[in-house]
Every structure is written in C-alpha cells, then in structure tokens.
C-alpha cells in the first residue's frame, strides 16, 4: 500500500502561505484517488433568508489551515491511516435549482464510484438531497443524523420543491432514507405550526432538541442516537446553525439557544465506530461571520468527520 500523502509541513511552509486546500491537503488530481475526498459545493440558491453560503467552501478551507495531523480526542491521525484529498468544488448552475441538484448528484456519484467517501462542504442545505441520493445508490436507504436548528422537512416554499428547508421530506418520499433510523439533533426556535412536528414524526424522525442536550448531557444523547442508528450505513448532515449564534454567527437563518461547539464536537466523537459512509457541513455564510468563528467551527467539524472515517478505515 502506498503511504498516504498528507498535509503540507507547517515547519517548512508557514500556515498562511500556499494554496488553501482543506487542511493543506493535496488536491485529488495530485494523488489520483483518495479514501476520503473533501469536496465543496458553492451553491446557495435554495436559501429562504440570508444568502452567502456559496462562499462557505472557500471560507472553511481558509479556516482549516490551522488544523493539525493528530486528533487526540479520537486518538487517530486521520491523514496517515487513509488518503484524504481536496476534490475542489462541484460547479453547478446558480440560476436553476433543479439542474443544480442533478449536477451535484451526478458529480457526487462519480467521485464515490470507486469507493471514495465524501465529506462535503456547502453551500446551503438543499445540497443534502442529491448527496443522499448518491449515497443511497451505493448503500441503499441510509440512516440519517441531521444536526440543525430547523427540521428541514417542510413540503414547499413559494411552491418550490427543492429548497434548503425541504431536502429531508424529499428524501423520505424518494425512499432513500431508512425511516427506522432518523433523528434531528439540536432543533429549537419557533415553527409555523404544531403540524410541522406531527408531519415530522409521521416521516419517522426522532427529535433531540438543543434543550434536551443541555438537560440530558452529551453522553446520554449519544447513547440514544447510537441505539437508534445501530450499525446501519450512516450519513451525517450538519447545518452549522445547530450551533448557537454566539458560536456560529455566520449563517443564513440563526436561532438563539443552540449547541456550543464543544457539545457538537463531543456528540460527533461519541459516534466513533458507527458505520459512517458520508457527511456534509453546510450553511456557512462568511459575510455574516465575526473573526472567522463560524468557519473555524465548521473546519473542526469537518476534521472530526474525516477522523471518524479514519477510525472506520482502521476497523476495516
């Protein structure tokens, strides 16, 4: 087996110099193939309030310059046990949502066709639907843990079926989710009506609110989530607005009362050993950020996702 090519050595090239690939990793075209590809989707045409998540991938890559090669919380060197590479961005039509969704699905399927697992940086949450379609092509209906302030299971918005508030209703309707193993984590804030929760339950979703995390604690929440998903193929979709605006102000639809970045990272680390097959981190809108708080948080979330995939590689 060829030794994985890792990040640029920061003792030789300062962190603020050179191309801003994710964690200063090689580009996919430099290594040929990768076990894990970090790919951007700079698309935010599906947003309902503040735009700007199209600039999320570049902001997260820039913030990721400070990431280091050993993860002490998970006791893994994620870039040494597997080849991780930056696959660049999926370029999709910013004026036609339906065409963009098709483009993302085909590009993601192409990247994953040889067994490469994807960690995708958005972009708005619309992109989760084509990414789940691509995952289901390989694995069948997948378990889903959805970290978000919002349910994202609404039917339409202004008559549009594809928006950042509808991807998981579409995914349930299309049969690409395992409805025995679905959960939202970190939800909070006002809804349009109580019916939103009733519809959500009918689709099979469990709900762990941000208040539940605060009252029950991370360990109890992780135990409940692990029981729900079992060993099924698992997809993680993480809207950065799951974090409180104090930790992630740079997002399109902020809601007070969210998780801390520490709580989110510890929940993710508690999923070590689960059958993770792919993930996304979305809704970073850097124009509303302060001191890169949001993009730094998102870069660490993506790093933890790559690290969880590395643990799976070691287990295999």
């Amino acid at each position: 087996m060829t030794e994985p090519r890792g990040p640029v050595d920061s003792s030789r090239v300062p962190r603020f110099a050179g191309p801003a690939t994710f964690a200063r990793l090689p580009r996919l075209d430099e290594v040929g193939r990768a076990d894990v590809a970090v790919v951007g989707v700079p698309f935010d045409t599906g947003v309902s309030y503040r735009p700007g998540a199209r600039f999320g991938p570049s902001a997260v890559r820039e913030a990721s310059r400070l990431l280091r090669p050993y993860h002490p919380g998970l006791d893994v060197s994620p870039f040494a046990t597997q080849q991780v590479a930056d696959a660049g961005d999926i370029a999709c039509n910013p004026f036609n949502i339906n065409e963009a969704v098709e483009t993302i699905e085909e590009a993601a399927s192409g990247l994953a066709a040889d067994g490469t697992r994807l960690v995708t940086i958005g972009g708005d949450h619309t992109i989760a639907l084509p990414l789940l379609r691509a995952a289901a092509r390989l694995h069948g209906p997948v378990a889903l843990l959805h970290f978000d302030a919002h349910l994202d299971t609404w039917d339409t918005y202004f008559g549009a079926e594809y928006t950042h508030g509808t991807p998981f209703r579409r995914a349930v309707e299309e049969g690409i989710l395992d409805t025995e193993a679905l959960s939202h984590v970190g939800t909070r804030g006002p809804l349009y009506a109580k019916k939103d929760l009733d519809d959500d339950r009918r689709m099979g979703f469990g709900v762990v609110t941000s208040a539940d995390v605060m009252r029950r604690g991370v360990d109890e929440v992780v135990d409940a989530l692990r029981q729900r998903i079992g060993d099924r193929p698992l997809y993680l979709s993480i809207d950065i607005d799951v974090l409180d605006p104090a930790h992630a102000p740079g997002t399109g639809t902020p809601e007070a009362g969210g998780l801390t970045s520490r709580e989110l990272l510890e929940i993710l680390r508690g999923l070590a050993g689960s059958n993770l097959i792919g993930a996304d981190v979305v809704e970073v809108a850097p124009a509303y950020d302060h001191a890169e708080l949001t993009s730094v948080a998102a870069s660490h979330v993506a790093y933890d996702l790559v690290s969880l995939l590395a643990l799976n590689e070691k287990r295999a």
Side-chain angles (χ1 to χ4, degrees):
M1 176 181 172
T2 305
E3 193 75 16
R5 179 173 163 185
V8 172
D9 184 349
S10 62
S11 68
R12 296 177 179 272
V13 181
R15 296 185 182 280
F16 44 80
T21 57
F22 181 78
R24 309 181 82 205
L25 287 160
R27 300 189 315 269
L28 183 58
D29 62 359
E30 294 177 306
V31 295
R33 87 164 290 281
D35 301 298
V36 176
V38 179
V39 60
V41 184
F43 173 85
D44 66 1
T45 308
V47 300
S48 58
Y49 192 47
R50 303 195 304 199
R54 65 183 61 184
F55 300 109
S58 59
V60 174
R61 287 186 175 107
E62 188 65 34
S64 74
R65 287 178 179 271
L66 198 57
L67 294 172
R68 300 177 182 90
Y70 174 65
H71 191 315
L74 290 171
D75 187 25
V76 67
S77 298
F79 310 134
T81 60
Q82 58 188 351
Q83 181 62 65
V84 187
D86 190 317
D89 289 337
I90 296 173
C92 47
N93 191 332
F95 304 108
N96 186 315
I97 294 180
N98 288 25
E99 181 182 319
V101 166
E102 292 176 4
T103 300
I104 296 164
E105 179 184 352
E106 290 306 313
S109 294
L111 284 168
D114 62 355
T116 299
R117 293 158 297 166
L118 304 185
V119 173
T120 307
I121 303 170
D124 76 53
H125 225 152
T126 311
I127 73 171
L129 176 62
L131 295 172
L132 284 166
R133 287 175 177 171
R137 282 190 188 185
L138 293 173
H139 303 280
V142 296
L144 171 72
L145 294 182
H146 167 223
F147 294 78
D148 202 322
H150 312 95
L151 300 173
D152 288 2
T153 51
W154 284 278
D155 190 10
T156 65
Y157 196 67
F158 282 82
E161 61 178 345
Y162 299 137
T163 79
H164 73 161
T166 66
F168 303 115
R169 180 181 287 248
R170 298 288 91 83
V172 169
E173 291 169 348
E174 293 178 14
I176 58 179
L177 296 182
D178 183 337
T179 54
E180 297 294 316
L182 308 176
S183 188
H184 306 293
V185 183
T187 54
R188 60 191 186 277
L191 300 171
Y192 292 106
K194 189 174 185 295
K195 181 178 180 295
D196 295 337
L197 292 171
D198 295 336
D199 287 348
D200 207 67
R201 277 191 290 271
R202 278 194 292 272
M203 284 180 254
F205 280 92
V207 176
V208 178
T209 67
S210 59
D212 290 332
V213 175
M214 180 268 293
R215 291 195 173 93
R216 296 166 61 186
V218 166
D219 292 343
E220 185 177 326
V221 166
V222 167
D223 286 344
L225 294 176
R226 292 187 71 105
Q227 288 179 34
R228 192 171 185 89
I229 61 177
D231 198 40
R232 298 172 173 90
L234 171 65
Y235 189 91
L236 298 179
S237 188
I238 303 167
D239 187 326
I240 205 64
D241 75 19
V242 73
L243 299 180
D244 190 89
H247 297 264
T251 191
T253 48
E255 304 279 358
L259 303 188
T260 66
S261 52
R262 179 177 59 239
E263 287 172 327
L264 174 58
L265 292 172
E266 287 302 316
I267 291 172
L268 293 177
R269 292 166 191 174
L271 299 172
S274 59
N275 187 15
L276 182 64
I277 53 90
D280 63 63
V281 185
V282 299
E283 299 283 357
V284 174
Y288 308 104
D289 209 0
H290 305 289
E292 297 184 324
L293 287 175
T294 312
S295 50
V296 166
S299 72
H300 280 264
V301 168
Y303 177 66
D304 271 36
L305 295 170
V306 172
S307 297
L308 290 173
L309 289 168
L311 290 174
N312 279 7
E313 189 78 7
K314 288 175 67 177
R315 184 179 68 171

